[in-house]
């Protein structure tokens, strides 16, 4: 169509989101986030090890139901996907969480996913294909890392102006993300060969929302334990980065790994549902999570304040 998503989405939209983040994020925050190894390990292990394994175990039960088997395979591919390069960052920023940690895990997880996701698909689905790691890696580097660095460089020169004017970075990123979702939906459902039965589709939508809610609650419980050492802002980044899955990297990777599959459109459907569902659910939960984070931060400040000496 006239929007030319193969150019505007693949390159311009994702680049715009990370250039935007580079402009808005304080350099010292990004630097300190790189050192938060425990948080990064938690997010990557949860999303690339626990998530696909839990989905595989769950699908062993669902395999005896009349749900379309290709949609179930698609659900497994969702579990194998890396963290997204956009939605988790935007929602973490909207809440006021650790945006720098969200950016690092989104970028790092995407690069890990280039190698790990095809291996996971091979392990759980038995799909094999020659994946052009070099081209995907270079594309990610150019659309994620380079715009982020350029944004940080530009920020150094217009820092005072940014502090004074406070441009609507969040609104800009949200509009770009909406464009990504719209074009991807158009691309998939324009396929005349797609054959969906309503029962399977409704059940898959219900499963996807249930999985997201369950995993968000699980990451919340783990990251707020007394011995976790995560701040409330860290917890926000953990919740979104651990449970969100990449559509912009996922769809091209599915097209590569499942090249020639006649059921590719059906396999892609769960990921196409999961992506807008995670944004919708995340957006609805933003006020609740923000309220929890603010109250938790206030409570921690009060406990850390030195107590006044008692006069006798």
């Amino acid at each position: 169509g006239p929007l030319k998503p193969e150019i505007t989405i693949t390159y311009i939209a994702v680049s715009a989101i990370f250039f935007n983040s580079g402009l808005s994020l304080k350099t010292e925050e990004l630097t300190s986030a790189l050192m938060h190894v425990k948080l990064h390990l938690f997010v990557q292990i949860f999303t690339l090890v626990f998530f696909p394994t839990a989905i595989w175990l769950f699908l062993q039960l669902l395999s005896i139901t009349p749900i379309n088997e290709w949609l179930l395979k698609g659900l497994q591919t969702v579990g194998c996907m890396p963290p997204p390069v956009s939605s988790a960052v935007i929602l973490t920023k909207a809440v006021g969480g650790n945006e720098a940690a969200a950016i690092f895990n989104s970028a790092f997880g995407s690069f890990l996913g280039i190698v790990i996701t095809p291996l996971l698909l091979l392990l759980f689905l038995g799909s094999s294909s020659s994946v052009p790691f070099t081209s995907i890696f270079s594309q990610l580097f150019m659309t994620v890392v380079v715009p982020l660095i350029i944004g940080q460089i530009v920020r150094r020169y217009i820092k005072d102006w940014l502090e004074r004017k406070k441009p609507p970075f969040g609104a800009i990123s949200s509009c770009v993300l909406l464009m990504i979702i719209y074009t991807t939906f158009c691309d998939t459902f324009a396929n005349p060969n797609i054959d969906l039965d309503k029962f399977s589709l409704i059940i898959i939508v219900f499963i996807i929302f249930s999985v997201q809610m369950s995993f968000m609650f699980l990451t919340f419980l783990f990251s707020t334990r007394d011995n976790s050492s995560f701040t409330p802002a860290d917890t926000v980044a953990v919740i979104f980065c651990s449970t969100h899955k990449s559509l912009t990297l996922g769809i091209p990777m599915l097209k590569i790994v499942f090249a020639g599959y006649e059921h590719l459109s059906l396999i892609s459907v769960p990921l196409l549902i999961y992506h807008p569902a995670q944004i919708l659910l995340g957006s609805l939960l933003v006020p609740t999570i923000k309220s929890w984070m603010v109250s938790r931060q206030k409570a921690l400040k009060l406990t850390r304040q030195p107590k006044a000496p008692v006069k006798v």
Side-chain angles (χ1 to χ4, degrees), residues 16 54 61 64 131 149 156 165 227 231 246 270 286 296 311-312:
L61 297 174
I64 60 173
V131 180
I149 293 171
R156 290 185 65 183
K165 294 290 184 180
N227 61 345
T231 66
S246 176
V286 161
R296 181 74 175 155
K311 292 182 180 178
V312 180

Side-chain angles (χ1 to χ4, degrees), residues 214-246:
S214 302
F215 283 0
M216 287 178 84
F217 183 65
L218 198 60
T219 53
F220 175 79
L221 286 179
F222 273 109
S223 59
T224 52
R225 290 179 306 165
D226 292 335
N227 61 345
S228 71
S229 73
F230 293 144
T231 66
D234 291 339
T235 295
V236 173
V238 165
I239 289 171
F240 290 126
C241 290
S242 300
T243 58
H244 281 211
K245 292 292 182 176
S246 176

Side-chain angles (χ1 to χ4, degrees), residues 158-235:
I158 59 169
K159 186 178 178 181
D160 293 336
W161 181 84
L162 290 171
E163 295 290 335
R164 191 169 63 254
K165 294 290 184 180
K166 298 190 184 302
F169 291 117
I172 294 167
S173 295
S174 298
C175 289
V176 175
L177 193 61
L178 192 63
M179 185 179 167
I180 292 172
I181 297 167
Y182 172 73
T183 53
T184 309
F185 257 89
C186 290
D187 184 44
T188 299
F189 290 101
N191 189 333
N193 299 320
I194 196 163
D195 181 29
L196 278 171
D197 65 279
K198 290 179 182 177
F199 169 76
S200 294
L201 186 60
I202 291 168
I203 295 297
I204 287 294
V205 171
F206 175 75
I207 289 169
I208 283 170
F209 273 99
S210 301
V211 165
Q212 285 189 27
M213 284 296 294
S214 302
F215 283 0
M216 287 178 84
F217 183 65
L218 198 60
T219 53
F220 175 79
L221 286 179
F222 273 109
S223 59
T224 52
R225 290 179 306 165
D226 292 335
N227 61 345
S228 71
S229 73
F230 293 144
T231 66
D234 291 339
T235 295

Side-chain angles (χ1 to χ4, degrees), residues 1-208:
L3 289 175
K4 300 289 182 188
E6 65 276 8
I7 298 170
T8 56
I9 299 304
T10 307
Y11 297 100
I12 299 172
V14 177
S15 299
I17 286 173
F18 279 86
F19 175 73
N20 196 19
S21 294
L23 266 183
S24 61
L25 194 65
K26 293 177 181 176
T27 308
E28 56 272 18
E29 289 179 1
L30 193 58
T31 307
S32 64
L34 298 177
M35 301 297 107
H36 209 332
V37 178
K38 188 176 179 181
L39 189 150
H40 308 325
L41 279 174
F42 180 92
V43 170
Q44 301 308 326
I45 290 172
F46 189 96
T47 195
L48 292 172
V49 178
F50 175 81
F51 202 126
T53 306
I55 292 292
W56 182 80
L57 290 170
F58 183 48
L59 290 181
Q60 301 312 300
L61 297 174
L62 292 179
S63 62
I64 60 173
T65 66
I67 301 171
N68 187 299
E69 65 169 311
W70 297 104
L71 288 179
L72 292 180
K73 286 181 185 292
L75 203 57
Q76 182 65 68
T77 67
V78 171
C80 298
M81 291 300 153
V85 293
S86 49
S87 59
V89 176
I90 293 167
L91 289 169
T92 302
K93 184 182 179 72
V95 173
N98 191 339
E99 187 193 353
I103 287 176
F104 177 84
N105 279 286
S106 294
F108 183 59
S110 295
F111 284 110
L112 280 180
I114 294 169
V115 178
I116 294 176
T117 294
L119 294 176
L120 289 173
L121 292 172
L122 177 62
L123 175 66
F124 289 110
L125 296 169
S127 305
S128 60
S129 176
S130 55
V131 180
F133 295 118
T134 309
S135 61
I136 300 175
F137 189 90
S138 59
Q139 182 185 319
L140 263 178
F141 185 80
M142 293 304 295
T143 56
V144 175
V145 178
V146 172
L148 186 66
I149 293 171
I150 293 172
Q152 284 282 286
I153 292 168
V154 173
R155 179 183 169 81
R156 290 185 65 183
Y157 294 99
I158 59 169
K159 186 178 178 181
D160 293 336
W161 181 84
L162 290 171
E163 295 290 335
R164 191 169 63 254
K165 294 290 184 180
K166 298 190 184 302
F169 291 117
I172 294 167
S173 295
S174 298
C175 289
V176 175
L177 193 61
L178 192 63
M179 185 179 167
I180 292 172
I181 297 167
Y182 172 73
T183 53
T184 309
F185 257 89
C186 290
D187 184 44
T188 299
F189 290 101
N191 189 333
N193 299 320
I194 196 163
D195 181 29
L196 278 171
D197 65 279
K198 290 179 182 177
F199 169 76
S200 294
L201 186 60
I202 291 168
I203 295 297
I204 287 294
V205 171
F206 175 75
I207 289 169
I208 283 170

